[in-house]
Amino acid sequence: MSRILIADLQKGSIKLAGLLCEQHELVYTNTVEQVVKLLQTTDGFELLIIGVLFDDSRMYELIKEIKSHPEYADLPVMGFSNQHTSMSLSGRNSIESGSHSLGACDYIDTANMSDEEILERINRCLQEKKGIGRKVCKDEETPTEKRECQESKRAESGKNAPEA
């Protein structure tokens, strides 16, 4: 069982909670300040998942804050949007690129992904914390290139790539 800190309103992460609550301990927080305080006073989070609308859209600020502290730098951080977050593909790609450039291990759009893919990507970030080698595509620069690389890895492992 992993301890996962979810930085989002609980109602905004209902889908994630439904997928994760049986296998992981979930802790919720609403502000950047609460996240930092929890990390300072609580030991043992394996993953931080941040909603794109977290604390008045302060997701980037929180990723930057976490990655700038040596004591938290190895904590995998994942950004996400949910079914209540409506945005264009280019907007989503921009958020994904920004998240990665600040040090997030992944960014997921739970409204446009299967439960299996969501869990696979969360588990990949959890493996990063546990020191298990994560397959990374070299020279990933854009969300499109990353998705193409992931689809290629899925096809190589015998899984069907999702349709575009």
Side-chain angles (χ1 to χ4, degrees):
M1 176 179 283
S2 298
R3 292 186 73 216
I4 299 175
L5 182 57
I6 299 179
D8 195 34
L9 297 175
Q10 206 161 356
K11 68 179 182 179
S13 54
I14 292 172
K15 184 172 185 174
L16 284 178
L19 294 172
L20 299 173
C21 68
E22 289 186 25
Q23 295 180 354
H24 305 284
E25 179 185 345
L26 306 179
V27 177
Y28 292 87
T29 185
N30 296 334
T31 67
V32 169
E33 294 76 18
Q34 288 175 346
V35 170
V36 172
K37 184 176 181 177
L38 276 170
L39 290 174
Q40 291 171 344
T41 60
T42 308
D43 188 36
F45 288 108
E46 281 81 30
L47 178 62
L48 170 60
I49 301 177
I50 310 169
V52 70
L53 299 179
F54 164 73
D55 197 7
D56 295 325
S57 299
R58 293 174 69 192
M59 180 181 75
Y60 289 146
E61 181 181 334
L62 181 54
I63 295 171
K64 187 176 178 182
E65 176 77 20
I66 297 303
K67 293 302 177 181
S68 70
H69 288 284
E71 62 270 27
Y72 315 129
D74 68 337
L75 177 66
V77 176
M78 171 182 269
F80 85 98
S81 59
N82 60 47
Q83 60 272 22
H84 305 295
T85 309
S86 177
M87 68 179 78
S88 68
L89 181 60
S90 63
R92 193 185 76 69
N93 286 345
S94 295
I95 292 171
E96 185 174 359
S97 292
S99 299
H100 285 286
S101 68
L102 291 171
C105 61
D106 208 346
Y107 174 85
I108 58 174
D109 182 353
T110 61
N112 296 316
M113 298 171 72
S114 69
D115 292 353
E116 293 78 21
E117 186 174 9
I118 293 168
L119 289 172
E120 176 186 322
R121 304 230 335 235
I122 289 171
N123 286 329
R124 197 175 307 141
C125 285
L126 284 167
Q127 289 173 351
E128 185 175 298
K129 173 66 175 181
K130 294 175 182 171
I132 298 169
R134 179 182 105 141
K135 285 188 176 181
V136 177
C137 295
K138 294 181 180 180
D139 301 322
E140 292 174 356
E141 294 184 11
T142 69
T144 301
E145 290 169 345
K146 181 177 180 188
R147 274 192 298 283
E148 288 171 356
C149 180
Q150 290 168 343
E151 289 170 6
S152 171
K153 285 189 289 189
R154 275 194 291 268
E156 288 172 8
S157 68
K159 294 180 182 178
N160 291 332
E163 295 180 10

